[in-house]
């Protein structure tokens, strides 16, 4: 399993607009080979922002890498950023490889 995660620091009062950007876009993920699952998570309010994280699970690093080079990736990210006034700073990409899985 391979997990890619983005953390977003959303300005107070912009939570609804941020969620609308995500919920209204077509991610194209369901048609991508190796895609497993996607979650948009709303975290706690912190010092001057609301924390969000997007988690995308992949079968492998190769599947994720292929996605980032695909037409589906370009189409999904065409309007995904949303208005820059929603964020405190650009999102931070983190990537993890599974070392243990329990279900």
């Amino acid at each position: 399993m391979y997990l890619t995660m983005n953390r977003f620091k959303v300005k107070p009062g912009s939570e609804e607009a941020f969620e609308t950007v995500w919920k209204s876009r077509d991610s194209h993920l369901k048609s991508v080979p190796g895609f497993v699952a996607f979650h948009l998570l709303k975290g706690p309010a912190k010092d001057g922002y609301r924390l969000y994280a997007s988690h995308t699970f992949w079968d492998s690093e190769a599947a994720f890498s292929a996605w980032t080079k695909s037409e589906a990736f370009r189409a999904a990210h065409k309007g995904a950023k949303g208005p820059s006034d929603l964020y405190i700073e650009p999102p931070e990409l983190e990537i993890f490889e599974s070392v243990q899985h329990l279900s």
Side-chain angles (χ1 to χ4, degrees), residues 10-32:
V10 176
K11 292 180 180 178
S14 297
E15 295 90 347
E16 186 176 332
F18 174 79
E19 291 176 22
T20 298
V21 168
W22 281 86
K23 291 176 183 177
S24 63
R25 72 188 194 113
D26 184 355
S27 71
H28 300 271
L29 286 170
K30 291 182 180 181
S31 65
V32 176

Side-chain angles (χ1 to χ4, degrees), residues 9-96:
K9 294 179 179 178
V10 176
K11 292 180 180 178
S14 297
E15 295 90 347
E16 186 176 332
F18 174 79
E19 291 176 22
T20 298
V21 168
W22 281 86
K23 291 176 183 177
S24 63
R25 72 188 194 113
D26 184 355
S27 71
H28 300 271
L29 286 170
K30 291 182 180 181
S31 65
V32 176
F35 167 73
V36 176
F38 172 83
H39 301 272
L40 180 62
L41 307 169
K42 184 176 184 176
K46 297 230 176 184
D47 214 8
Y49 64 91
R50 168 75 72 166
L51 182 63
Y52 282 84
S54 66
H55 290 181
T56 309
F57 296 89
W58 300 93
D59 284 337
S60 65
E61 180 179 2
F64 169 71
S65 182
W67 152 248
T68 64
K69 297 172 181 138
S70 72
E71 186 58 39
F73 178 87
R74 285 186 287 285
H77 289 83
K78 186 176 182 180
K81 184 178 178 186
S84 61
D85 62 340
L86 298 178
Y87 307 102
I88 298 295
E89 59 189 44
E92 178 183 345
L93 177 65
E94 298 174 326
I95 298 175
F96 300 90

